[in-house]
Amino acid sequence: PGIDFTYSVTENVDQAAVKVKVRVDNVAGVSLPVFDQTDEESRAARELSGLARGGEQIRRCRNAYSKLLKELIVLASLQTSFVTLDAAIKITNRRVNALEKVVVPRIEATIDYIISELDELEREEFYRLKKVQAKKKEAQEAEREALLKSMSAIEADQILKGEAPESLSILSQATAAPGASASKQDEDIFFF
């Protein structure tokens, strides 16, 4: 059995010899804590301990402990970073899955609905235009039929042959746009 030196060691220690400070690094938008060792151990206390016997063994033990403590701090920093990054990756994966499985299909369905509604409106507009054209054509045909019925047989024959009787030219002048006939008749009138 050797000499018990625990009393001398506990006498020399009044505060922590090694302290760890935390700083934050930002990696891809994720705040990661990083631990840094601050060595505040006094040299005088380390030099005087164990002068009587076994001072070399205590010094080697202290050096091995310091080296191991530095590696342990680096390991703790890495482990904390891995855990934090793992949580951030899981959150990002949840967001990506939500976008792929929920949001994007909803938007695609909305786009498909809008396209189908626009196609339906286009078809309705086309059908409406066709109906309007058919109504106009029917109205013109009815007007022509009424005109032909009101004309005499000789005038109708002239129209069918391509000749224009006098009554038709008078009728076409009356149905022409009022501004056009006025400009032909009154070319010398100026309005200011």
Side-chain angles (χ1 to χ4, degrees), residues 15 25 29 32 53 60-61 74 76 84-85 89 95 99 118 123 134 136-137 139 141 148 150 172 188:
Q15 63 180 2
D25 280 351
L32 300 176
R53 292 187 186 166
R60 268 193 253 151
C61 180
V74 170
T84 307
L85 281 175
I89 288 171
R95 288 179 183 162
L99 286 173
L118 289 175
R123 283 191 294 273
K136 282 183 180 179
K137 193 172 184 181
E141 287 294 323
L148 287 176
S150 67
S172 65
D188 57 339

Side-chain angles (χ1 to χ4, degrees), residues 171-190:
L171 184 63
S172 65
Q173 285 179 359
T175 58
S181 62
S183 65
K184 287 182 183 177
Q185 293 172 358
D186 299 326
E187 292 181 15
D188 57 339
I189 297 176
F190 296 103

Side-chain angles (χ1 to χ4, degrees), residues 109-183:
T110 304
I111 290 171
D112 291 341
Y113 175 74
I114 290 171
I115 288 172
S116 68
E117 287 295 317
L118 289 175
D119 289 344
E120 183 67 27
L121 286 174
E122 186 177 339
R123 283 191 294 273
E124 288 174 1
E125 183 68 18
F126 181 74
Y127 179 75
R128 189 185 64 78
L129 288 175
K130 286 291 187 184
K131 280 296 208 184
V132 168
Q133 287 176 348
K135 291 281 186 185
K136 282 183 180 179
K137 193 172 184 181
E138 286 176 14
Q140 287 175 349
E141 287 294 323
E143 186 179 322
R144 182 178 173 176
E145 289 294 326
L147 182 64
L148 287 176
K149 283 182 183 179
S150 67
M151 292 184 174
S152 65
I154 298 169
E155 290 174 337
D157 284 339
Q158 287 177 348
I159 289 175
L160 292 175
K161 289 179 183 176
E163 298 171 3
E166 290 180 24
S167 61
L168 186 62
S169 64
I170 293 171
L171 184 63
S172 65
Q173 285 179 359
T175 58
S181 62
S183 65

Side-chain angles (χ1 to χ4, degrees), residues 55-114:
E56 184 64 28
Q57 294 296 330
I58 292 174
R59 191 172 301 118
R60 268 193 253 151
C61 180
R62 182 182 295 122
N63 289 341
Y65 172 75
S66 296
K67 190 175 181 182
L68 179 66
L69 190 60
K70 286 179 185 178
E71 291 176 6
L72 189 62
I73 290 170
V74 170
L75 182 66
S77 180
L78 288 175
Q79 182 182 9
T80 306
S81 297
F82 291 150
V83 168
T84 307
L85 281 175
D86 184 47
I89 288 171
K90 285 179 182 175
I91 290 170
T92 304
N93 283 339
R94 278 191 218 120
R95 288 179 183 162
V96 167
N97 286 338
L99 286 173
E100 287 178 351
K101 305 289 187 216
V102 177
V103 176
V104 171
R106 282 185 189 167
I107 291 174
E108 288 174 349
T110 304
I111 290 171
D112 291 341
Y113 175 74
I114 290 171

